[in-house]
Amino acid sequence: MARSHGSWPLWYGDVCDIVAGIYNSFHDMSVLGSHDLTDRALRILQSVGQPGWSRPTVIAETTRTSAATISHLLADLEKQGLIARHTNSADRRQWILELTEQGAAVFDAMVAEQTAALAPVVARWSAVDLAHSSTLLTRFARDLSREVSNQNPH
């Protein structure tokens, strides 16, 4: 069992520092300026570019954005020609989102820029280290998201 300092275990401070450091580093190396997108618009574009994230409600939940805000941001991205909305043929009340050709080009450029920025960070990592870190970070993010959802039900 981890020793504690006051009411929290010692590892808590380390985890908070690591998460804050990762967030700040990602924000510092952001590719927003080169694509004239806000941080939220970038996250939404990234979400639309991922398989299985094509409905506005899923994107709103994933990006922790309200329905009203997501609607506005999606309209802006659509006006910029980066996404297209289509009615779901299975349920005409739902929208399906997809990247346009221009949106896909911006998304691909962002991925390439982020990959190039991260490559030196992990250049000396083995394939096993990369896979292990990806597994643990994915698990951490999933479990943290689930816990936040449990504490803040809609």
Side-chain angles (χ1 to χ4, degrees):
M1 181 172 196
R3 297 177 326 179
S4 65
H5 181 276
S7 62
W8 47 271
L10 286 178
W11 57 262
Y12 176 81
D14 291 340
V15 170
C16 290
D17 289 345
I18 290 166
V19 170
I22 290 171
Y23 175 82
N24 291 333
S25 295
F26 267 92
H27 194 271
D28 290 347
M29 67 184 229
S30 174
V31 296
L32 298 175
S34 62
H35 299 288
D36 196 30
L37 295 170
T38 64
D39 185 46
R40 231 180 225 179
L42 172 65
R43 288 193 345 244
I44 291 167
L45 192 65
Q46 289 172 323
S47 295
V48 174
Q50 300 298 316
W53 298 35
S54 60
R55 292 180 314 159
T57 53
V58 174
I59 293 169
E61 289 174 8
T62 303
T63 60
R64 292 197 172 95
T65 306
S66 71
T69 301
I70 200 78
S71 180
H72 176 71
L73 291 169
L74 291 174
D76 286 348
L77 290 171
E78 190 172 24
K79 283 180 194 171
Q80 293 176 44
L82 300 175
I83 65 168
R85 290 193 248 194
H86 307 285
T87 304
N88 183 346
S89 59
D91 184 347
R92 300 192 57 74
R93 298 170 295 170
Q94 291 184 346
W95 292 99
I96 300 296
L97 305 169
E98 65 180 359
L99 295 176
T100 62
E101 191 173 315
Q102 180 184 353
V106 169
F107 177 75
D108 290 344
M110 288 186 312
V111 170
E113 290 169 28
Q114 291 170 345
T115 301
L118 286 174
V121 175
V122 296
R124 291 189 206 97
W125 293 23
S126 70
V128 171
D129 287 344
L130 286 169
H132 190 62
S133 65
S134 178
T135 299
L136 289 174
L137 286 170
T138 300
R139 179 178 165 194
F140 181 81
R142 182 193 62 231
D143 292 351
L144 180 60
S145 181
R146 182 177 33 236
E147 186 62 27
V148 168
S149 294
N150 289 342
Q151 290 179 10
N152 303 309
H154 295 76

